[in-house]
Amino acid sequence: MKILFIHQNFPGQFKHLAPALAAAGHECTALTLKVKEQSTWRGVRVMPYALPERRVQQVHPWLIDLDTKVTRGEACWRAARVLADEGYAPDLILAHHGWGESMFLRDLWPGARMALYCELYHQAGYPHLDFDPEFASEEPEVQPLRIRLKNLGNHLHFPVAEAGLSPTEFQADTFPPEFRNRITVCHDGIDTGWSAPKPDVKVTLKGHAPFTRETEVITFINRNLEPYRGYHVFMRALPDLLRARPDARVIIIGGDETSYGSAPPKGRTWKQIFREEVADRMMPDDWRRVHFLGRIPHEDFTRILQLSRVHVYLTYPFVLSWSLMEAMSCGAAIVASDTAPVREVITDGETGLLVDFFDRQTLVRRVCELLDDEEARARLGAAARKSMIEKYDLETICLPRQMAWVNEIMETPLVT
């Protein structure tokens, strides 16, 4: 088959599926904003598309999201049209449609099947909105109206897509019935051979002696440090945690940008804001035991997880982070928020410990309980890894399911 991948940051969620399909003999091409020149990546021809310069124009604030998606959709369509003029016609389009790029591609290739990576459908009710009252909208009655328009990109794709793929039941269930019955739930997959325990792991941070499994290391990791991922909750718990654990080292990994939710005040970062908020509760030497690493290469990231004695993961009811599942695969003892979809992968007391997202005191207590109980850490970590291998392993579970899903799509009648 000729398969066209659409992802503004390719490979993204297709990093395993795309090369597997290429290795199976399919002709795979990708259109993405990530590259400037044509290249080949693991058997996939990667083609650039670029966004045009835009004149400043007036648009209703609720329509900014759609305006951005249409801009991306048009730019991607123009790049695709060049391919079509050269005689290229895909049998299947696999698209992460969240940025709107694939919006017009069935107009260009009406005979191609399309399948969507369904990351999230925005819902107007609790807990999708106003889960965290600290960051509630100043006009809560307006939010459902704005959210309804934010889903226009989804609805423009539903009539032209044969199928969808979601990594968790929670994410799939956010989609309305008109498309939910076309969505298959299958996680992207965890490389449990790579993300695995390493008892002799050593990590050296600048100015410090090497950390080993004998070091009392607590980890907190997200792509960006922001409220959607509980950074404010963790930071507010940090002074009490350090006071209770005088020998602990806390490693925090994450960037300063905003992935989800509202941006911080201009010129500031969430990292700065909450670090400053707790400064008066920190002892002079406390900051020496807190290590902000920013974003680091995946190899280093894995070594930090292998080092972790207790890993803390907090999130709003939202998209599940790969980092949590990689930590579980590394055999880390987890303390996580009792929110969806965390409950899909962690059973309290069996594969980790769950706490109320907002309950800082219980968070500190449960972390300390694990730090004091080597047997519990070993039991929870082993069970967490076992669940990753049995349910989410890349090579034996998830990738074969995704490959079968692709074959099923080609047997599905075209949407007309």
Side-chain angles (χ1 to χ4, degrees):
M1 290 188 293
K2 292 182 179 179
I3 302 175
L4 177 62
F5 289 90
I6 305 294
H7 197 301
Q8 59 95 23
N9 192 36
F10 183 83
Q13 289 87 351
F14 301 127
K15 69 177 182 178
H16 302 303
L17 180 59
L21 288 168
H26 301 293
E27 181 185 320
C28 295
T29 302
L31 278 172
T32 180
L33 282 172
K34 189 175 182 178
V35 301
K36 301 299 182 184
E37 302 290 339
Q38 179 177 333
S39 61
T40 300
W41 174 78
R42 298 181 64 185
V44 181
R45 179 177 59 152
V46 182
M47 308 284 290
Y49 84 89
L51 297 178
E53 291 188 12
R54 292 285 304 274
R55 293 181 180 179
V56 177
Q57 63 185 38
Q58 292 293 326
V59 62
H60 194 287
W62 301 352
L63 286 175
I64 290 174
D65 182 76
L66 180 62
D67 183 71
T68 301
K69 286 181 169 63
V70 171
T71 299
R72 289 177 183 266
E74 180 194 4
C76 190
W77 173 81
R78 290 188 181 280
R81 192 176 66 175
V82 173
L83 292 177
D85 289 344
E86 295 171 353
Y88 177 78
D91 301 296
L92 174 63
I93 300 168
L94 293 177
H96 189 318
H97 68 292
W99 295 276
E101 298 165 288
S102 47
M103 192 178 297
F104 306 117
L105 296 187
R106 280 292 288 271
D107 297 270
L108 188 61
W109 292 300
R113 286 169 171 77
M114 179 180 284
L116 308 176
Y117 189 91
C118 298
E119 192 161 23
L120 197 74
Y121 183 92
H122 303 279
Q123 295 191 348
Y126 179 87
H128 296 265
L129 279 181
D130 296 334
F131 171 75
D132 189 343
E134 182 174 350
F135 299 96
S137 170
E138 295 180 0
E139 293 185 285
E141 68 276 9
V142 166
Q143 290 295 80
L145 314 181
R146 182 184 64 82
I147 291 297
R148 206 162 77 216
L149 292 177
K150 192 176 180 68
N151 279 314
L152 284 175
N154 275 313
H155 285 277
L156 289 169
H157 279 87
F158 292 161
V160 295
E162 278 73 30
L165 186 72
S166 279
T168 67
E169 294 286 349
F170 167 78
Q171 289 165 255
D173 288 346
T174 62
F175 284 80
E178 67 184 88
F179 198 72
R180 174 63 182 91
N181 60 7
R182 284 182 257 169
I183 297 176
T184 295
V185 176
C186 179
H187 193 266
D188 312 323
I190 301 299
D191 186 344
T192 61
W194 171 265
S195 297
K198 188 177 182 182
D200 62 347
V201 65
K202 289 186 179 181
V203 174
T204 301
L205 302 181
K206 187 176 180 180
H208 299 274
F211 292 0
T212 70
R213 290 286 297 171
E214 299 303 312
T215 312
E216 188 172 278
V217 173
I218 303 163
T219 52
F220 182 84
I221 298 172
N222 276 298
R223 183 191 308 169
N224 285 302
L225 304 176
E226 55 192 335
Y228 250 72
R229 296 307 195 189
Y231 171 68
H232 58 316
V233 174
F234 183 75
M235 286 301 291
R236 289 165 178 169
L238 185 61
D240 292 338
L241 186 56
L242 292 170
R243 193 169 299 114
R245 310 303 302 187
D247 296 325
R249 300 288 185 146
V250 178
I251 296 179
I252 301 174
I253 296 174
D256 292 336
E257 300 172 6
T258 302
S259 296
Y260 312 111
S262 59
K266 189 174 182 180
R268 307 272 284 155
T269 67
W270 290 122
K271 173 186 171 182
Q272 294 171 329
I273 289 169
F274 294 108
R275 180 171 174 151
E276 292 171 5
E277 181 183 312
V278 301
D280 62 351
R281 295 172 51 214
M282 299 283 281
M283 301 298 289
D285 290 339
D286 282 348
W287 288 118
R288 298 177 189 175
R289 297 192 286 133
V290 180
H291 309 276
F292 287 91
L293 303 189
R295 291 185 179 177
I296 60 176
H298 191 255
E299 181 178 354
D300 296 334
F301 161 90
T302 301
R303 288 166 60 231
I304 297 294
L305 290 177
Q306 292 166 333
L307 184 72
S308 179
R309 192 168 288 188
V310 174
H311 178 68
V312 177
Y313 178 75
L314 305 172
T315 183
Y316 287 12
F318 196 61
V319 173
L320 191 66
S321 301
W322 285 338
S323 64
L324 169 64
M325 301 175 76
E326 288 177 319
M328 296 175 70
S329 183
C330 285
I334 310 289
V335 178
S337 57
D338 189 8
T339 48
V342 177
R343 288 188 292 266
E344 286 187 40
V345 298
I346 292 183
T347 300
D348 187 36
E350 294 183 14
T351 51
L353 301 181
L354 299 179
V355 298
D356 183 278
F357 179 90
F358 301 102
D359 190 344
R360 302 197 303 273
Q361 289 75 26
T362 301
L363 173 64
V364 171
R365 177 171 57 80
R366 302 212 84 174
V367 170
C368 291
E369 287 173 356
L370 277 185
L371 291 173
D372 285 331
D373 193 338
E374 183 178 358
E375 182 180 348
R377 293 198 309 272
R379 175 177 57 81
L380 292 172
R385 175 163 173 77
K386 184 173 183 284
S387 74
M388 290 298 104
I389 292 172
E390 292 179 349
K391 300 177 183 177
Y392 298 99
D393 180 70
L394 172 66
E395 296 295 338
T396 62
I397 305 295
C398 296
L399 192 54
R401 285 180 182 173
Q402 291 179 25
M403 296 288 280
W405 172 72
V406 169
N407 290 329
E408 290 168 6
I409 293 167
M410 297 311 298
E411 298 173 359
T412 302
L414 274 172
V415 171
T416 56

